[in-house]
Amino acid sequence: MPSTPENPIHADLRVLRDDLVQRFNAKDWDGVSGLLTAEATLAFPDGRRIKGPEELKAYVKKMTEGNPPIVVSLKVAPEVDDLTTLYGDDTGIATGTSRDHYELAYGKSMDLSTRWTATMVKDSGGPWKIAALQIGADVFDNPILAAANSFGVGAALVTALIGMTAGYLFGRKRRA
């Protein structure tokens, strides 16, 4: 059975993806913004919703240069699940995963696995652009939750130790 040739649109969408990843990892926020539609909606794992290129640049500035900054560096490595689902020659939806590496301002680093969905559109004769991007992380199994759980266990042990010491000292004082 002969295979069906791949729609050439997929090659154009790969160029968009590769350009986005390269610019994002290089912190070229003007370049990233140029790959978005004017009304692009982006949703990030921290629950933030960003509307348009200017809000994206303001968000990134706050996260990386705020007082205090939160993120020093972020590298993304997205992988697609399948070929983009095309709706005509001007709209496509892609899904996939990414293994993102964060260097945080307080000296910690972490890898976060995310799942994403992207909607890309093309104006007649123009380049493909991102109209919507949703990025989510597993709220039940991620490095932030693991760190919080580890802190909780440590805090519980310290509290128990303080309680036992206080109980021992209080008991000795009552006997005296």
Side-chain angles (χ1 to χ4, degrees):
M1 180 169 173
S3 64
T4 305
E6 184 178 284
N7 188 322
I9 289 174
H10 294 293
D12 294 339
L13 292 170
R14 284 186 196 99
V15 169
L16 173 62
R17 179 203 58 210
D18 294 345
D19 198 17
L20 176 68
V21 171
Q22 184 273 326
R23 290 172 186 266
F24 190 95
N25 288 340
K27 299 180 185 178
D28 175 5
W29 306 120
D30 289 326
V32 169
S33 294
L35 301 174
L36 306 175
T37 65
E39 296 297 318
T41 301
L42 310 159
F44 292 101
D46 65 357
R48 304 285 168 97
R49 175 184 101 28
I50 307 300
K51 186 88 169 173
E54 294 309 311
E55 277 191 29
L56 173 65
K57 288 190 259 185
Y59 172 74
V60 169
K61 185 173 183 171
K62 176 185 175 201
M63 296 298 284
T64 60
E65 300 173 20
N67 189 13
I70 297 170
V71 178
V72 173
S73 172
L74 169 61
K75 301 287 184 193
V76 297
E79 297 288 332
V80 297
D81 291 330
D82 300 300
L83 288 176
T84 298
T85 301
L86 298 173
Y87 298 91
D89 292 335
D90 61 357
T91 305
I93 298 176
T95 62
T97 59
S98 188
R99 186 76 172 160
D100 306 332
H101 181 76
Y102 291 79
E103 295 288 333
L104 303 175
Y106 59 89
K108 296 281 186 185
S109 65
M110 68 176 177
D111 292 318
L112 182 65
S113 295
T114 59
R115 175 151 283 287
W116 56 266
T117 300
T119 302
M120 290 81 53
V121 296
K122 182 176 182 176
D123 289 331
S124 59
W128 283 94
K129 292 195 174 198
I130 296 168
L133 178 62
Q134 171 83 38
I135 305 168
D138 186 340
V139 297
F140 300 110
D141 183 19
N142 65 63
I144 298 166
L145 182 61
N149 284 339
S150 176
F151 176 78
V153 168
L157 290 174
V158 168
T159 301
L161 183 60
I162 290 170
M164 287 188 301
T165 303
Y168 172 76
L169 293 174
F170 182 71
R172 269 185 81 193
K173 187 173 182 176
R174 281 193 89 203
R175 279 189 233 129

